[in-house]
Amino acid sequence: MVLLDPDTVEQLGALIGRIENDPDLTVVVFRSDRPGYFMAHWDFLADNARVARMTPGPTGLHPYLDNFVRLSRVPVATISEIRGRTRGAGSEFVLATDIRFASEQAVLGQFEIGVGAVPGGGPMARLGRLVGRGRALEILLGGEDISARAAAEYGYVNRLVPDADIEAVTDAFARRIAAFDKVAVTGIKELVDRATLPADEELAAGLAAYFATAGRPEHRPFVRLLLDKGLQQPGGIETDLGAAIGKLRQNTVTA
């Protein structure tokens, strides 16, 4: 499985730095070679003390959020090719890219409400702009898995592409952008960013809410229950996480 953790945060920061400073780069494609998963979510077993000690990034924000802010503003076009599950932090990653193509095997979602947390990587700000207030609240408050078809209908992703074709479609579109003048690509993106991207302060408020709500003692037994049932394993509840969390929560309340 592909999980985000402190190591990933540092590696992603270094990669974004390379993207920012490459004068010849015009477009970047992100894809996963793990069947069934693009980027699952944050690692629930990560060292929280290490996360808290991490030095702010170039924006002055915590590096987890700094990465997404910088990724959304790099002077190149970024494309996510989503062929599997991408929830929580994975969803926040693809939302920070410019363009999202999804195959019918893609599953997206923000399940943090199910573990008692406010999402920290900016989905409140980004989803509201992409899909509208009502659908953003449906995604964030429902904590359900969103199929690729529904994600395309909502605007969560740009388009739904048959799985057999998605790599070719993504490559063709990326190569088309790469053939254009970088000054024009950068200028267009900068003006679209100015009109559509949330301010750093708006995103910072979300991360502060995440740190205030994630990992509270009253929710740790439920997270342990999820881990016991296969959270962070390729099989188990990861295959249908939104439904599994909802069912377990309802059983916990009525027990």
Side-chain angles (χ1 to χ4, degrees), residues 1 35-37 40-41 84-87 105-108 145-146 229-245:
M1 288 185 62
Y37 292 90
H41 48 72
R85 297 163 182 82
T86 183
R87 307 178 178 109
Q105 296 183 12
V107 177
L108 297 95
D145 288 344
I146 308 298
K229 290 186 175 295
L231 184 70
Q232 308 200 164
Q233 301 298 322
I237 64 170
E238 285 285 357
T239 60
D240 196 14
L241 187 57
I245 287 178

Side-chain angles (χ1 to χ4, degrees), residues 126-144:
R126 297 193 194 279
L127 278 172
R129 288 164 169 82
L130 281 173
V131 307
R133 182 175 184 272
R135 284 174 167 170
L137 287 170
E138 178 187 345
I139 293 165
L140 293 161
L141 296 181
E144 295 180 296

